[in-house]
Amino acid sequence: MSTFLLGLRLLFGSGRGNRVRFFLMVAGSAVGVACLGMVLAIPGILAAQDGRKAAREANCPRDDRRGCLDADTAPLELHLTDPFGSRPMTRVFYAPGAFSIDPPPGLKKLPGPGDVFLSPKLHEELKKESGLTQLLPGRERGKIGREGLAHPDELFAYIGVDRGQLKDGSPVTTFGQPYTNDETVEPSTLDIVRFTLAGVVLLPLAVYLSVCARLSAAARARRLAALRLIGLSKKDVQRVNAAETVAAALLGAVLGLGVYAVANQLVSRIGLPGFRWFPSDGTLSMPTTLVCLFGCPALAWFAGVVGARKAATNPLAVRRAAPEKSPAKWGLLPLLPGLGIVAGYCVAGATGHVPRDTSVSSILMPLAVVLIGVGIVLSLPVISRSLARKVAHGSRSLSLGLAMRRNEVEPGGALRVATGLVLVVYAASLAQGVLIELDQVSKNTSPVQTYSLQLDGISQKKQRAFEKVAGVQGHLVEARSWSNLNLEEWQHSAGILIATCAQLHRVAPMTKGCVDGRPTRLLLPEQPYDEASRPGAVYPFHLYGQGGQRRVVEMRVPEEEIRYRDSAAIPIASSGDVLLPPSFFPAGFRPEGATLVLLSSSQPSTVRAVLDNIGGVDPTAEVVTPGVVVTALQQITVVKTILGMGMVLGLIIGVAAYLVAATDRAVERRPQVTALSLLGARPRTLRAVQVAQVVLPLAVGLVLAVVAGKAAESSYLVTGGGQVFWDGAGLPLLLACALGVVAIAAVGSLPLIGRRIDPELIRRD
């Protein structure tokens, strides 16, 4: 305890400059802990949202034979999710039963027939989009509370209807499940987010906190060496040094948690693009708070012990400013296996041997990313010293020679300034690869959009209304022949399209040779032909009509054929399907299991208008939109927002690390700069020396970061299973960022040289 108190007394009694550096360490630690809190809060936010989703899911006690025990008398619920632009809109239809049940979270009572309860965001959208009234039939009776919503921007509605309108509804007796099947971010995708945030934020953050803990390292080392020479033991010297760093880190951690609490309140209310949460969701849990509160001081303690090792073991060398030892070559050790892994994946992708074992890749890729990041940090002193020695030996320039000799003697000084910026460029390349993979998944390349509606239980009048919905360009009916599922042997079935030639041309304009009133086989050149649909084969179709009438009609596969080419990215027909005219079946009858397929433009506004108009015909109709998995699009939006936030945090950390290290280096270098000025060096020469000292090792690090980052990005794309392996389009942007980093570092080095010479700095030294 006495050594700890001694460290604190030395801290506050060693001049104003040391106190300024102490508060700079506190501010730096606060920024780092605030960023760490933001990263660690993301899993808690997602878990809170999924918990509220699970609490509102319908439930009914079941057994193995009867299913739901109260299926005949329990209330019914129908859960529909439709795309509203690129966001999901969830509608829950509720019909009362023979007994009442408790309402789900967020509601004081269940809606009766004709009642509607809306989320606050959907209430706002209803005022803007009048077409939504068709999807939300009834009178609004109130809003859903936050307990029943995953996040403030969720589009959610409870709609009360009569029991006869929910023929496809499921019985419900209670609300609440142990987990939800509609996660905000799927576990596999969440692993990608964690992996990326570790490279984009946590790795630069560790370097940044280490930089903050090593502020004024040279001045403190000389002071610690003096304490060692007057009799303090090695452990006591390390404790004295750790007292200052731990005190600054602990105070900064407390301040950083306060900064995060304020930022959480502000950002959660303002919201990020596609991602909002309630302020309570972002409150850090106790384990997370302890990690932030004690993790930063622990890292500071370790950095303080390591920083005091030289002063404790060889104090005379510190006091006499003996040359530093050459950096150990083992710093290259983590970089080599990391580059080996990513190079192997790149070669596998280039030769067409794309790895299929995702379990191995899920371990090797994060390991390679971490090894490369750590390797870049540890190998920079080795590479910089070797390069400085060669340049200084062959250079005839005074400025370049002085700069390289300083880097050769003290390779870690300039690298403290450069490391944070180097890691920012490396992390940016890695995040770019993740965004490319997500863009491949979310990109809609089809010019048209299809909508599928099951016709069982839908009247002929509603079917005609669906076909005439505004925005629909074409329509047809799909069905398959009847198969006896009770037989042990599997039966073949034939697919049919029920449409006129005009209807077929609206769906597939490139089809030629169609003759109205004649059954015809469809041949798709790019698909293998279905051998079950051979000419002359006979297949039965079970038909049903109004009033429950039943008929069986047999179809003989015709000899005639036409070449069919689908204009949509998702084919409507298969090679071997039979085109049947509507007159083939008796009037008023349709095949069982038939599906109505509608076609429209894929413009988001058109898709939304068509869905609104379909809801106007029957708001309880379940519409399938192939190619538009709106929940997946929502997940991708959330992931992109989180990664964007991570990149912003990484940029803040990198710039903060540069500012902190550059300021500290400016203070430490003043005695040497003053000495050179007294020896006659011109300010222009000194500025050139300072710029070269920082720019050259930074340029080496950036080249290494760009090469390693692009290799890691390409290997990630290879293992991701997408179609894009080599991101040539992103290279100019990455190089532009690297040049911008060099320019910032060069400009930041100029203030080191002032116009006023203070000989007092040398006397004190």
Side-chain angles (χ1 to χ4, degrees):
M1 180 59 72
S2 59
T3 54
F4 185 80
L5 294 176
L6 175 61
L8 295 180
R9 291 185 63 183
L10 289 174
L11 167 63
F12 293 104
S14 54
R16 186 180 63 179
N18 199 51
R19 289 193 294 271
V20 170
R21 283 192 291 265
F22 173 77
F23 288 114
L24 188 62
M25 292 169 63
V26 171
S29 300
V31 173
V33 170
C35 293
L36 179 62
M38 292 178 188
V39 173
L40 297 181
I42 291 175
I45 292 173
L46 299 178
Q49 293 182 355
D50 292 343
R52 286 192 293 273
K53 287 182 179 180
R56 71 190 182 196
E57 290 197 3
N59 192 15
C60 186
R62 299 173 180 272
D63 62 15
D64 295 336
R65 293 183 301 172
R66 295 171 53 195
C68 181
L69 299 178
D70 300 307
D72 297 331
T73 57
L76 299 178
E77 184 196 65
L78 179 63
H79 192 280
L80 299 179
T81 300
D82 304 305
F84 184 79
S86 61
R87 295 178 294 168
M89 181 180 65
T90 303
R91 297 175 295 152
V92 178
F93 292 88
Y94 173 82
F99 55 90
S100 60
I101 61 175
D102 294 331
L107 292 183
K108 295 181 179 179
K109 65 175 184 177
L110 285 162
D115 296 340
V116 178
F117 291 92
L118 303 178
S119 65
K121 190 64 176 180
L122 187 54
H123 174 78
E124 296 176 6
E125 295 293 343
L126 184 59
K127 293 181 179 179
K128 302 175 185 177
E129 302 287 343
S130 58
L132 278 177
T133 56
Q134 302 177 92
L135 296 175
L136 306 169
R139 186 173 182 179
E140 185 177 352
R141 295 295 185 182
K143 295 184 178 65
I144 304 172
R146 54 165 295 176
E147 299 83 6
L149 299 174
H151 53 85
D153 284 346
E154 188 174 23
L155 304 177
F156 203 91
Y158 288 100
I159 304 170
V161 295
D162 293 323
R163 194 174 180 85
Q165 295 179 260
L166 288 189
K167 296 180 180 179
D168 296 330
S170 302
V172 53
T173 56
T174 59
F175 292 94
Q177 295 281 4
Y179 57 88
T180 179
N181 295 320
D182 182 26
E183 297 96 344
T184 304
V185 177
E186 292 183 352
S188 58
T189 309
L190 188 58
D191 291 339
I192 297 175
V193 174
R194 292 194 184 102
F195 153 67
T196 309
L197 289 180
V200 174
V201 180
L202 297 184
L203 187 59
L205 182 60
V207 174
Y208 169 63
L209 292 176
S210 300
V211 169
C212 292
R214 293 295 309 280
L215 285 178
S216 63
R220 282 193 288 165
R222 292 177 59 81
R223 189 175 61 208
L224 295 173
L227 293 175
R228 179 75 177 100
L229 290 173
I230 64 175
L232 261 68
S233 65
K234 294 181 181 179
K235 290 186 178 181
D236 287 341
V237 169
Q238 292 176 340
R239 289 168 184 163
V240 168
N241 187 45
E244 181 177 355
T245 57
V246 170
L250 187 59
L251 184 57
V254 175
L255 183 60
L257 291 176
V259 171
Y260 168 76
V262 174
N264 175 53
Q265 294 291 330
L266 293 176
V267 177
S268 61
R269 284 173 167 79
I270 298 173
L272 299 174
F275 184 43
R276 281 193 66 189
W277 63 92
F278 294 107
S280 59
D281 295 345
T283 302
L284 297 179
S285 63
M286 184 56 66
T288 305
T289 302
L290 294 177
V291 169
C292 295
L293 196 59
F294 295 107
C296 183
L299 180 61
W301 173 272
F302 176 76
V305 170
V306 173
R309 183 175 299 169
K310 183 178 180 181
T313 56
N314 195 357
L316 287 176
V318 173
R319 293 298 300 177
R320 294 173 179 174
E324 294 185 8
K325 293 182 179 179
S326 300
K329 296 293 182 65
W330 63 265
L332 298 170
L333 190 60
L335 186 63
L336 298 179
L339 289 176
I341 294 173
V342 299
Y345 278 124
C346 290
V347 171
T351 56
H353 300 85
V354 180
R356 301 297 181 188
D357 192 348
T358 56
S359 60
V360 175
S361 299
S362 63
I363 297 174
L364 289 181
M365 270 310 302
L367 179 62
V369 168
V370 173
L371 286 175
I372 291 175
V374 174
I376 289 176
V377 175
L378 297 179
S379 62
L380 278 179
V382 181
I383 299 175
S384 176
R385 185 185 182 94
S386 301
L387 181 64
R389 181 179 298 172
K390 292 181 180 180
V391 173
H393 182 72
S395 175
R396 295 183 179 180
S397 170
L398 175 62
S399 302
L400 190 59
L402 285 174
M404 294 303 100
R405 288 304 182 189
R406 169 53 60 181
N407 283 349
E408 181 184 357
V409 173
E410 189 187 0
L415 290 175
R416 278 193 296 150
V417 180
T419 302
L421 298 176
V422 169
L423 286 179
V424 167
V425 174
Y426 169 67
S429 179
L430 183 63
Q432 189 173 246
V434 178
L435 293 176
I436 289 172
E437 184 187 14
L438 294 175
D439 186 62
Q440 293 183 72
V441 177
S442 60
K443 186 180 293 183
N444 184 13
T445 58
S446 173
V448 297
Q449 177 61 51
T450 58
Y451 313 81
S452 300
L453 295 94
Q454 288 292 329
L455 291 178
D456 291 347
I458 294 180
S459 64
Q460 300 268 354
K461 181 179 179 180
K462 281 188 177 181
Q463 178 183 345
R464 289 190 292 270
F466 284 137
E467 295 170 354
K468 296 178 181 179
V469 159
V472 171
Q473 300 173 352
H475 63 87
L476 47 80
V477 176
E478 291 180 337
R480 294 201 71 83
S481 61
W482 178 79
S483 298
N484 189 352
L485 300 179
N486 295 323
L487 297 178
E488 294 183 359
E489 296 183 359
W490 181 74
Q491 284 186 313
H492 292 285
S493 63
I496 61 171
L497 296 182
I498 306 173
T500 63
C501 289
Q503 293 171 355
L504 182 65
H505 279 294
R506 291 192 188 99
V507 175
M510 292 179 287
T511 302
K512 297 181 180 180
C514 179
V515 179
D516 275 324
R518 181 183 300 175
T520 314
R521 285 183 298 127
L522 300 174
L523 299 182
L524 275 73
E526 64 273 9
Q527 284 189 7
Y529 184 79
D530 184 5
E531 296 299 331
S533 184
R534 62 185 182 278
V538 178
Y539 293 96
F541 286 87
H542 285 207
L543 311 180
Y544 67 93
Q546 296 180 355
Q549 300 177 3
R550 299 279 179 173
R551 287 192 184 182
V552 177
V553 173
E554 292 185 344
M555 179 201 70
R556 184 179 298 275
V557 179
E559 295 283 347
E560 292 80 2
E561 63 183 38
I562 59 173
R563 296 282 174 174
Y564 170 87
R565 186 175 295 277
D566 207 321
S567 62
I570 304 173
I572 296 173
S574 300
S575 187
D577 287 354
V578 178
L579 175 66
L580 294 178
S583 59
F584 182 85
F585 298 106
F589 284 86
R590 288 184 308 209
E592 286 185 345
T595 302
L596 175 64
V597 179
L598 308 176
L599 188 80
S600 78
S601 167
S602 63
Q603 292 294 328
S605 58
T606 304
V607 173
R608 193 190 323 179
V610 170
L611 290 171
D612 289 344
N613 294 330
I614 291 174
V617 176
D618 184 358
T620 64
E622 187 170 358
V623 185
V624 179
T625 52
V628 179
V629 185
V630 68
T631 53
L633 293 178
Q634 177 72 9
Q635 287 193 31
I636 291 172
T637 301
V638 171
V639 171
K640 285 184 176 181
T641 300
I642 293 175
L643 292 182
M645 183 180 69
M647 293 178 70
V648 171
L649 291 177
L651 180 62
I652 292 173
I653 292 168
V655 173
Y658 166 75
L659 293 175
V660 170
T663 304
D664 182 56
R665 184 170 178 269
V667 175
E668 286 191 346
R669 290 284 296 142
R670 283 190 302 172
Q672 288 106 2
V673 171
T674 301
L676 291 174
S677 299
L678 291 175
L679 290 175
R682 294 182 298 177
R684 182 184 301 176
T685 302
L686 294 177
R687 290 191 181 96
V689 170
Q690 297 301 325
V691 171
Q693 281 183 6
V694 175
V695 167
L696 190 61
L698 178 60
V700 173
L702 289 176
V703 170
L704 184 59
V706 170
V707 173
K710 293 302 294 183
E713 174 192 353
S714 299
S715 61
Y716 174 80
L717 293 174
V718 168
T719 59
Q723 299 298 320
V724 177
F725 288 172
W726 322 110
D727 173 31
L731 187 58
L733 177 61
L734 201 62
L735 293 176
C737 293
L739 292 176
V741 166
V742 172
I744 291 173
V747 172
S749 300
L750 296 178
L752 291 174
I753 309 301
R755 296 182 178 181
R756 177 173 172 270
I757 299 176
D758 186 6
E760 184 71 12
L761 295 172
I762 299 179
R763 189 191 69 79
R764 288 178 180 176
D765 192 48

